[in-house]
Amino acid sequence: MLTISRSIVLPETELTERFLRADGPGGQHVNRTESAVELRFDVARSPSLPEPLRARLLARRDRRLTDDGVLVIQARRFRDQSRNRDDARERLVEIIRGALVVPKARIATNPTRGSKERRLAGKTQRGKIKQTRARDWSRA
């Protein structure tokens, strides 16, 4: 069981782990052991996630999310498999907890009268500066 919050718990059956050979340092040992972990979690079909949370997760523009709604996390930071498994699970929990926060709805406002006047005053001042640069063609 993977605990996300008090109300959300992911059972182990919804997580799919695959072990691969990690790149990087490790000598000959790295060629023989499969210490990297690829953790897959099907966001689109998970019965454990509430619908608003699922929608927020799927709406994120995350490269780790496939077109089918599967979240793929690769962990190869550590040399041993158990630490990489824990790392992948922690990252999954962080991603889901990040989507738990409901974004505040933006309320469109109109510009104030003072801000409109300041904008127009700045435009006229800029226009006057540009007029002083103009050449007087009547005398040329």
Side-chain angles (χ1 to χ4, degrees):
M1 298 292 257
L2 200 61
T3 306
I4 308 297
S5 68
R6 278 188 238 140
S7 59
I8 302 171
V9 178
L10 299 179
E12 293 286 330
T13 56
E14 291 188 34
L15 303 176
T16 308
E17 288 179 333
R18 201 178 91 186
F19 302 105
L20 356 138
R21 291 189 179 147
D23 50 359
Q28 293 174 357
H29 180 68
V30 79
N31 298 328
R32 291 195 298 270
T33 58
E34 295 183 340
S35 58
V37 177
E38 182 183 83
L39 180 70
R40 290 176 168 268
F41 174 62
D42 195 347
V43 176
R45 293 174 194 81
S46 172
S48 305
L49 297 178
E51 195 54 45
L53 176 63
R54 176 180 296 120
R56 280 194 299 275
L57 278 169
L58 292 173
R60 293 176 80 180
R61 299 192 62 200
D62 195 339
R63 59 184 170 81
R64 295 171 291 196
L65 199 63
T66 65
D67 293 335
D68 300 329
V70 178
L71 188 64
V72 180
I73 298 173
Q74 289 189 346
R76 52 182 58 177
R77 198 180 314 180
F78 303 105
R79 284 191 184 185
D80 53 298
Q81 194 181 80
S82 62
R83 286 174 70 186
N84 280 330
R85 283 182 75 192
D86 294 340
D87 183 41
R89 288 165 186 258
E90 286 171 18
R91 284 165 41 196
L92 174 66
V93 169
E94 285 175 19
I95 290 169
I96 296 174
R97 281 188 184 151
L100 278 173
V101 179
V102 180
K104 190 173 153 186
R106 185 187 181 284
I107 302 169
T109 58
N110 293 325
T112 61
R113 182 176 171 187
S115 68
K116 285 181 186 177
E117 289 173 358
R118 284 189 298 273
R119 182 180 66 88
L120 292 175
K123 286 167 76 79
T124 54
Q125 182 183 5
R126 185 77 182 142
K128 286 178 184 173
I129 290 170
K130 288 185 175 189
Q131 271 185 338
T132 60
R133 295 185 200 148
R135 182 181 250 180
D136 188 10
W137 291 101
S138 61
R139 286 190 272 158

